[in-house]
Amino acid sequence: MSHHILLPRMMEIGKGASEKVSDILASLDCSKPLIVTDKMMVELGYAEKITTQLADIGIVADVFADTVPEPTVSSIESGVSMVRENEYDCIVALGGGSPIDSAKAISILGKYGGQMRDYKFPTVTDVAGLPIIAIPTTAGTGSEVTRFTIITDEKTSEKMLCVGRGFMPTAALVDYTLTQSLPQRVTADTGIDALTHAIEAFVSKKANLYSDAQALSAMALIAPNLRTVFVDGNNEQAREAMMLGSTLAGIAFSNASVALVHGMSRPIGAAFHVPHGLSNAMLLPAVTAFSLPSATTRYAMCARAMGVASQADADDVANEKLLQELNALNADLQVPTPADFGIDKAAFFAIVDTMAEQALASGSPGNNPRVPTADEIVSIYTSLW
């Protein structure tokens, strides 16, 4: 059977890629962009670099810098209003996954109207919004190359997954130098997020030969370099490997889908404000242990791609090494437990059934090699304590 592969129309990858904004706008015949970013990108001067680039060719860009980590319906409202009230012909999305996800939502809502819930999966949004030029500043979400966005509904604390070609950026400028200012904690959390994307894409029931190639390459880049960038954020070689690995992992899961880790991660993030990559990290060892019996060969291939098992290792040996590595990685990257993060155990257990229902409703657990029941999801959640 054939597989539909979706990618940005244009990609620029490597040192200095972010300096190509004006060239991309010219190729798209766009002249009135809205820059969607966050306050940190403004403070670091990254937004000003883009406005200066564009000013040099006579383009004046407005800036919406009120995006927030884990974007919500209310956090994007002002950006949507700006698009509805002005004649922007494209959006430049600058930042980590949250600004890029926000830009995707603003692009669609600003052009077509409605509420974010109208676009929630299983609705598939294939209509084109405003063209998006995505410039990631973290090596983690891969949002610059995915057909997904996630926006939280504050009224229900639900992280709404929105899917379709309409959310795929038109161009991605992947410049690893923008990650060199990242704090250690963000480096770790986004890095594990990228690793999770690659692993889940590879074991997903929707995996295909194309996504497999991207996922294995991503694991080979991320796994040997994640500890290095955590300890030494100025290591350019490791930063470059992480950035490319993140993008390849994004391509992999955008074309094969994520699975149980992500399905369970979103409710934790929504209810307890845990950064997405961090909640993935909390779950990855336990979910892998649960899923492994149903995909022993695939998980063993992950271990070999990551360099923690050799080609000579039998699958059961490779899988044991994989589980050891995932736990060791969490320890080395100082990933907190839910309790260490400050989550109240009683509050967590009080809504664990609801979180399990939300996880199943997202659809992601259905892609898992071992599809869990609600009770099995509850058991994994409670095992984190």
Side-chain angles (χ1 to χ4, degrees):
M1 63 182 291
S2 66
H3 300 276
H4 182 69
I5 304 300
L6 192 63
L7 295 166
R9 190 190 311 172
M10 293 173 281
M11 296 180 69
E12 191 82 28
I13 298 176
K15 189 172 186 177
S18 59
E19 298 170 10
K20 303 291 186 178
V21 179
S22 55
D23 293 342
I24 296 295
L25 261 63
S27 70
L28 294 173
D29 197 25
C30 292
S31 59
K32 191 173 182 181
L34 173 66
I35 298 174
V36 174
T37 187
D38 60 30
K39 289 182 171 57
M40 182 57 68
M41 293 298 103
V42 173
E43 290 175 13
L44 290 172
Y46 291 167
E48 184 180 6
K49 285 183 180 179
I50 293 176
T51 58
T52 300
Q53 280 184 54
L54 296 178
D56 288 343
I57 59 170
I59 293 178
V60 177
D62 292 335
V63 177
F64 172 70
D66 291 335
T67 66
V68 299
E70 315 298 325
T72 64
V73 170
S74 62
S75 74
I76 63 172
E77 281 181 355
S78 295
V80 172
S81 296
M82 288 180 72
V83 170
R84 290 178 179 171
E85 294 166 7
N86 295 275
E87 295 182 356
Y88 299 115
D89 55 14
C90 66
I91 293 176
V92 176
L94 172 68
S98 295
I100 297 176
D101 275 6
S102 298
K104 292 177 177 183
I106 290 168
S107 166
I108 293 293
L109 288 175
K111 184 170 181 178
Y112 296 105
Q115 304 298 317
M116 200 70 238
R117 182 163 290 278
D118 300 335
Y119 300 92
K120 173 190 165 187
F121 184 81
T123 297
V124 176
T125 304
D126 283 338
V127 293
L130 293 181
I132 296 172
I133 298 91
I135 307 174
T137 59
T138 63
T141 69
S143 189
E144 71 275 8
V145 290
T146 73
R147 56 190 173 91
F148 306 113
T149 190
I150 298 173
I151 306 295
T152 299
D153 183 343
E154 307 97 313
K155 295 179 181 177
T156 62
S157 292
E158 179 187 3
K159 283 197 169 188
M160 298 181 291
L161 174 64
C162 304
V163 180
R165 287 196 298 271
F167 298 113
M168 174 63 75
T170 303
L173 309 184
V174 184
D175 185 345
Y176 71 88
T177 65
L178 301 184
T179 69
Q180 290 178 289
S181 60
L182 286 178
Q184 191 177 54
R185 183 72 262 150
V186 177
T187 294
D189 296 346
T190 54
I192 295 181
D193 190 20
L195 181 62
T196 304
H197 290 155
I199 292 173
E200 290 214 292
F202 191 71
V203 302
S204 168
K205 289 185 174 181
K206 294 181 179 178
N208 56 75
L209 192 59
Y210 180 86
S211 64
D212 284 352
Q214 313 304 312
L216 291 171
S217 295
M219 284 182 255
L221 288 165
I222 295 166
N225 289 291
L226 184 46
R227 288 180 177 87
T228 301
V229 292
F230 181 71
V231 174
D232 178 13
N234 291 317
N235 186 311
E236 282 201 42
Q237 186 175 0
R239 284 288 192 188
E240 183 173 20
M242 287 297 301
M243 194 65 160
L244 179 56
S246 170
T247 296
L248 292 176
I251 292 171
F253 89 81
S254 185
N255 289 286
S257 295
V258 288
L260 182 55
V261 173
H262 277 74
M264 293 181 64
S265 178
R266 296 186 195 105
I268 293 177
F272 299 103
H273 308 293
V274 180
H276 174 67
L278 189 55
S279 55
N280 278 352
M282 292 174 179
L283 287 160
L284 184 57
V287 170
T288 301
F290 168 83
S291 307
L292 205 152
S294 296
T296 53
T297 299
R298 287 246 148 189
Y299 278 113
M301 292 174 71
C302 291
R304 296 183 188 108
M306 291 167 59
V308 298
S310 72
Q311 295 298 325
D313 285 332
D315 286 355
D316 59 339
V317 174
N319 286 328
E320 182 60 34
K321 289 181 176 179
L322 176 63
L323 291 176
Q324 291 173 358
E325 168 64 5
L326 295 179
N327 282 296
L329 192 60
N330 277 6
D332 291 344
L333 300 184
Q334 301 170 22
V335 173
T337 64
D340 292 337
F341 185 80
I343 297 174
D344 180 76
K345 184 176 181 179
F348 188 92
F349 277 57
I351 65 166
V352 72
D353 290 328
T354 299
M355 290 196 299
E357 292 170 5
Q358 290 176 342
L360 286 171
S362 74
S364 298
N367 302 323
N368 209 57
R370 180 182 177 188
V371 178
T373 64
D375 286 344
E376 286 171 328
I377 291 177
V378 168
S379 294
I380 296 170
Y381 275 138
T382 55
S383 74
L384 301 182
W385 297 85

